[in-house]
Amino acid sequence: MPDYSTLTATLVQAVAAAEDDLSLMDENCRSRFLLHPNPTDKVFLFFHGFTAAPAQFVPIGKTFFEAGYNVLIPLLPGHGVAGKWDSDSPPPLPEDRQIYQQFGQDWLHWVQDLGQEVVLGGLSGGATLAIWLALEHPERVDQTLLFAPYLRNSNVVLDWVIRALNIYFEWKSEPGTAHFGYPGFRMPALRVFLEMGQEIFDRVETHPTARSLIVSSGSDAAVSNKDLRILFESIRKLHPKSWYHCFDKEFDIPHTMMTEAEGNECVDLLIAVAKAFIESDLTWSEVKEISDRITQGRSFDAAVAELRLSQRVSPELITLVTLKAD
């Protein structure tokens, strides 16, 4: 087994060389490596969203790197390639879910020696891949950070369209917001995540996975928050220290919730919730009890002290419980 410095240098160089050969759209599409000189307590492996790019996870990635952890954000297969992509020449996105699954397993193998615990994370389709990996390899994944995982659509008609038709779809971004990655895709490329989502629902009730945080938004029209709550309750049965937070509609947080550039003006709140989860050792019931006591008029510190949870609580938790108490 190569030593840590050799392992990381080899990985970074190999990925850079492979991406040089791809002729990427821009620097946003390059894989990101935020690495310390030695293995860390935790290593974070983040998967960006469908058609998007690693730049989505730079803000939260930097937060966890500055907290002392290794962070890797790879470019997903078929993503980020420069070209004049349209309905006549769609981008080269995989239409076989096994390509993503093998990709995820390869990266999970590579990060094992970069930290004592592995934390998987992702947005939308990237979160779907993270859940699948945690179900497939529960012994190798310690925690997951799942941001608006794409399992099914909020609209059943759209589910049918994606499953049945091979049409080309073009994204429509809000004025003033950035869009990392491809402007559109063929439906079979998105269909693979619906298939993965169905497999996840079929397995999660009976198969172990990892302690998980699921974050959603009341303003997200792309995924079903009802389904995400069902997913959370299934995971929570085996992992009571799993958490779920849905941002209220008043925050107007879009599906592309990881960066301010893509429309989330409250990205600092999202990062604080994720950091609170990683740094705390609480069941969801204990989180709710703290929130309930704040609703009754206690301060955060008083609520935590009354419950004798001070040694298991991150200071960042105040963000989540205050949001819940409002």
Side-chain angles (χ1 to χ4, degrees), residues 270-290:
L270 179 147
I271 292 174
V273 169
K275 200 161 181 279
F277 174 77
I278 291 297
E279 295 178 348
S280 298
D281 182 35
L282 301 176
T283 67
W284 186 238
S285 296
E286 289 169 330
V287 173
K288 291 197 296 182
E289 181 63 25
I290 295 171

mmCIF file of all heavy atoms in Angstrom, residues 270-290:
data_model
loop_
_atom_site.group_PDB
_atom_site.id
_atom_site.type_symbol
_atom_site.label_atom_id
_atom_site.label_comp_id
_atom_site.label_asym_id
_atom_site.label_seq_id
_atom_site.Cartn_x
_atom_site.Cartn_y
_atom_site.Cartn_z
ATOM 1 N N LEU A 270 -27.540 26.574 5.201
ATOM 2 C CA LEU A 270 -27.452 25.170 4.800
ATOM 3 C C LEU A 270 -26.146 24.563 5.299
ATOM 4 O O LEU A 270 -26.135 23.441 5.840
ATOM 5 C CB LEU A 270 -27.554 25.079 3.275
ATOM 6 C CG LEU A 270 -27.457 23.685 2.650
ATOM 7 C CD1 LEU A 270 -28.325 23.618 1.395
ATOM 8 C CD2 LEU A 270 -26.012 23.360 2.268
ATOM 9 N N ILE A 271 -25.053 25.269 5.130
ATOM 10 C CA ILE A 271 -23.751 24.760 5.574
ATOM 11 C C ILE A 271 -23.723 24.608 7.093
ATOM 12 O O ILE A 271 -23.177 23.631 7.627
ATOM 13 C CB ILE A 271 -22.622 25.679 5.084
ATOM 14 C CG1 ILE A 271 -22.505 25.588 3.552
ATOM 15 C CG2 ILE A 271 -21.295 25.310 5.735
ATOM 16 C CD1 ILE A 271 -21.520 26.574 2.940
ATOM 17 N N ALA A 272 -24.339 25.548 7.815
ATOM 18 C CA ALA A 272 -24.378 25.459 9.275
ATOM 19 C C ALA A 272 -25.140 24.224 9.738
ATOM 20 O O ALA A 272 -24.743 23.554 10.701
ATOM 21 C CB ALA A 272 -25.011 26.722 9.862
ATOM 22 N N VAL A 273 -26.248 23.902 9.058
ATOM 23 C CA VAL A 273 -27.024 22.705 9.396
ATOM 24 C C VAL A 273 -26.171 21.449 9.185
ATOM 25 O O VAL A 273 -26.147 20.533 10.024
ATOM 26 C CB VAL A 273 -28.319 22.645 8.564
ATOM 27 C CG1 VAL A 273 -28.996 21.293 8.706
ATOM 28 C CG2 VAL A 273 -29.271 23.764 8.983
ATOM 29 N N ALA A 274 -25.454 21.397 8.057
ATOM 30 C CA ALA A 274 -24.605 20.239 7.774
ATOM 31 C C ALA A 274 -23.483 20.113 8.797
ATOM 32 O O ALA A 274 -23.171 19.009 9.270
ATOM 33 C CB ALA A 274 -24.033 20.363 6.366
ATOM 34 N N LYS A 275 -22.883 21.221 9.164
ATOM 35 C CA LYS A 275 -21.793 21.201 10.135
ATOM 36 C C LYS A 275 -22.309 20.783 11.513
ATOM 37 O O LYS A 275 -21.636 20.033 12.246
ATOM 38 C CB LYS A 275 -21.143 22.582 10.197
ATOM 39 C CG LYS A 275 -19.731 22.604 10.768
ATOM 40 C CD LYS A 275 -19.016 23.873 10.366
ATOM 41 C CE LYS A 275 -17.581 23.886 10.910
ATOM 42 N NZ LYS A 275 -17.508 24.283 12.303
ATOM 43 N N ALA A 276 -23.511 21.236 11.874
ATOM 44 C CA ALA A 276 -24.103 20.834 13.148
ATOM 45 C C ALA A 276 -24.300 19.325 13.199
ATOM 46 O O ALA A 276 -24.035 18.678 14.227
ATOM 47 C CB ALA A 276 -25.439 21.541 13.350
ATOM 48 N N PHE A 277 -24.754 18.753 12.107
ATOM 49 C CA PHE A 277 -24.965 17.302 12.045
ATOM 50 C C PHE A 277 -23.654 16.550 12.224
ATOM 51 O O PHE A 277 -23.563 15.603 13.014
ATOM 52 C CB PHE A 277 -25.605 16.941 10.709
ATOM 53 C CG PHE A 277 -25.733 15.465 10.462
ATOM 54 C CD1 PHE A 277 -26.717 14.718 11.087
ATOM 55 C CD2 PHE A 277 -24.857 14.823 9.591
ATOM 56 C CE1 PHE A 277 -26.832 13.345 10.860
ATOM 57 C CE2 PHE A 277 -24.966 13.458 9.356
ATOM 58 C CZ PHE A 277 -25.954 12.725 9.990
ATOM 59 N N ILE A 278 -22.629 16.976 11.498
ATOM 60 C CA ILE A 278 -21.346 16.283 11.541
ATOM 61 C C ILE A 278 -20.714 16.380 12.924
ATOM 62 O O ILE A 278 -20.103 15.418 13.417
ATOM 63 C CB ILE A 278 -20.396 16.860 10.468
ATOM 64 C CG1 ILE A 278 -20.894 16.501 9.052
ATOM 65 C CG2 ILE A 278 -18.967 16.366 10.673
ATOM 66 C CD1 ILE A 278 -20.915 15.022 8.741
ATOM 67 N N GLU A 279 -20.872 17.516 13.579
ATOM 68 C CA GLU A 279 -20.175 17.752 14.844
ATOM 69 C C GLU A 279 -20.977 17.368 16.082
ATOM 70 O O GLU A 279 -20.455 17.438 17.195
ATOM 71 C CB GLU A 279 -19.786 19.236 14.933
ATOM 72 C CG GLU A 279 -18.775 19.658 13.875
ATOM 73 C CD GLU A 279 -18.444 21.140 13.938
ATOM 74 O OE1 GLU A 279 -19.176 21.870 14.643
ATOM 75 O OE2 GLU A 279 -17.473 21.558 13.297
ATOM 76 N N SER A 280 -22.230 16.979 15.911
ATOM 77 C CA SER A 280 -23.070 16.596 17.050
ATOM 78 C C SER A 280 -23.236 15.085 17.106
ATOM 79 O O SER A 280 -23.018 14.379 16.119
ATOM 80 C CB SER A 280 -24.445 17.259 16.944
ATOM 81 O OG SER A 280 -24.351 18.671 16.968
ATOM 82 N N ASP A 281 -23.654 14.621 18.256
ATOM 83 C CA ASP A 281 -23.904 13.190 18.456
ATOM 84 C C ASP A 281 -25.269 13.037 19.122
ATOM 85 O O ASP A 281 -25.376 12.616 20.273
ATOM 86 C CB ASP A 281 -22.800 12.583 19.317
ATOM 87 C CG ASP A 281 -22.972 11.086 19.517
ATOM 88 O OD1 ASP A 281 -23.444 10.421 18.576
ATOM 89 O OD2 ASP A 281 -22.663 10.592 20.621
ATOM 90 N N LEU A 282 -26.308 13.405 18.372
ATOM 91 C CA LEU A 282 -27.658 13.452 18.920
ATOM 92 C C LEU A 282 -28.628 12.640 18.075
ATOM 93 O O LEU A 282 -28.510 12.585 16.846
ATOM 94 C CB LEU A 282 -28.166 14.902 18.959
ATOM 95 C CG LEU A 282 -27.378 15.928 19.755
ATOM 96 C CD1 LEU A 282 -28.011 17.296 19.573
ATOM 97 C CD2 LEU A 282 -27.329 15.558 21.228
ATOM 98 N N THR A 283 -29.615 12.050 18.728
ATOM 99 C CA THR A 283 -30.730 11.467 17.995
ATOM 100 C C THR A 283 -31.629 12.603 17.506
ATOM 101 O O THR A 283 -31.577 13.728 18.000
ATOM 102 C CB THR A 283 -31.555 10.528 18.875
ATOM 103 O OG1 THR A 283 -32.200 11.306 19.900
ATOM 104 C CG2 THR A 283 -30.686 9.454 19.506
ATOM 105 N N TRP A 284 -32.468 12.284 16.540
ATOM 106 C CA TRP A 284 -33.419 13.292 16.049
ATOM 107 C C TRP A 284 -34.402 13.691 17.153
ATOM 108 O O TRP A 284 -34.810 14.839 17.247
ATOM 109 C CB TRP A 284 -34.153 12.759 14.837
ATOM 110 C CG TRP A 284 -35.049 13.764 14.181
ATOM 111 C CD1 TRP A 284 -36.382 13.665 13.960
ATOM 112 C CD2 TRP A 284 -34.655 15.048 13.639
ATOM 113 N NE1 TRP A 284 -36.858 14.775 13.315
ATOM 114 C CE2 TRP A 284 -35.822 15.647 13.120
ATOM 115 C CE3 TRP A 284 -33.455 15.740 13.558
ATOM 116 C CZ2 TRP A 284 -35.811 16.913 12.526
ATOM 117 C CZ3 TRP A 284 -33.433 16.984 12.965
ATOM 118 C CH2 TRP A 284 -34.602 17.553 12.464
ATOM 119 N N SER A 285 -34.749 12.757 18.006
ATOM 120 C CA SER A 285 -35.642 13.075 19.124
ATOM 121 C C SER A 285 -35.005 14.093 20.063
ATOM 122 O O SER A 285 -35.685 14.988 20.579
ATOM 123 C CB SER A 285 -35.997 11.801 19.898
ATOM 124 O OG SER A 285 -36.736 10.913 19.087
ATOM 125 N N GLU A 286 -33.697 13.976 20.299
ATOM 126 C CA GLU A 286 -33.009 14.939 21.162
ATOM 127 C C GLU A 286 -32.943 16.321 20.508
ATOM 128 O O GLU A 286 -33.086 17.343 21.181
ATOM 129 C CB GLU A 286 -31.609 14.425 21.486
ATOM 130 C CG GLU A 286 -31.632 13.239 22.444
ATOM 131 C CD GLU A 286 -30.296 12.552 22.582
ATOM 132 O OE1 GLU A 286 -29.496 12.562 21.617
ATOM 133 O OE2 GLU A 286 -30.022 11.993 23.668
ATOM 134 N N VAL A 287 -32.736 16.348 19.185
ATOM 135 C CA VAL A 287 -32.747 17.631 18.474
ATOM 136 C C VAL A 287 -34.107 18.300 18.631
ATOM 137 O O VAL A 287 -34.203 19.507 18.914
ATOM 138 C CB VAL A 287 -32.415 17.431 16.981
ATOM 139 C CG1 VAL A 287 -32.596 18.734 16.204
ATOM 140 C CG2 VAL A 287 -30.993 16.914 16.801
ATOM 141 N N LYS A 288 -35.166 17.522 18.468
ATOM 142 C CA LYS A 288 -36.515 18.087 18.588
ATOM 143 C C LYS A 288 -36.801 18.558 20.014
ATOM 144 O O LYS A 288 -37.496 19.557 20.215
ATOM 145 C CB LYS A 288 -37.554 17.050 18.140
ATOM 146 C CG LYS A 288 -37.526 16.766 16.641
ATOM 147 C CD LYS A 288 -38.782 16.091 16.150
ATOM 148 C CE LYS A 288 -38.959 14.728 16.757
ATOM 149 N NZ LYS A 288 -40.176 14.044 16.228
ATOM 150 N N GLU A 289 -36.268 17.863 21.009
ATOM 151 C CA GLU A 289 -36.482 18.269 22.399
ATOM 152 C C GLU A 289 -35.809 19.615 22.673
ATOM 153 O O GLU A 289 -36.374 20.474 23.350
ATOM 154 C CB GLU A 289 -35.932 17.194 23.342
ATOM 155 C CG GLU A 289 -36.130 17.501 24.818
ATOM 156 C CD GLU A 289 -37.584 17.585 25.238
ATOM 157 O OE1 GLU A 289 -38.442 16.960 24.555
ATOM 158 O OE2 GLU A 289 -37.871 18.269 26.242
ATOM 159 N N ILE A 290 -34.605 19.813 22.136
ATOM 160 C CA ILE A 290 -33.942 21.117 22.279
ATOM 161 C C ILE A 290 -34.784 22.202 21.618
ATOM 162 O O ILE A 290 -35.024 23.272 22.192
ATOM 163 C CB ILE A 290 -32.536 21.076 21.660
ATOM 164 C CG1 ILE A 290 -31.632 20.118 22.431
ATOM 165 C CG2 ILE A 290 -31.924 22.481 21.636
ATOM 166 C CD1 ILE A 290 -30.294 19.866 21.759
#
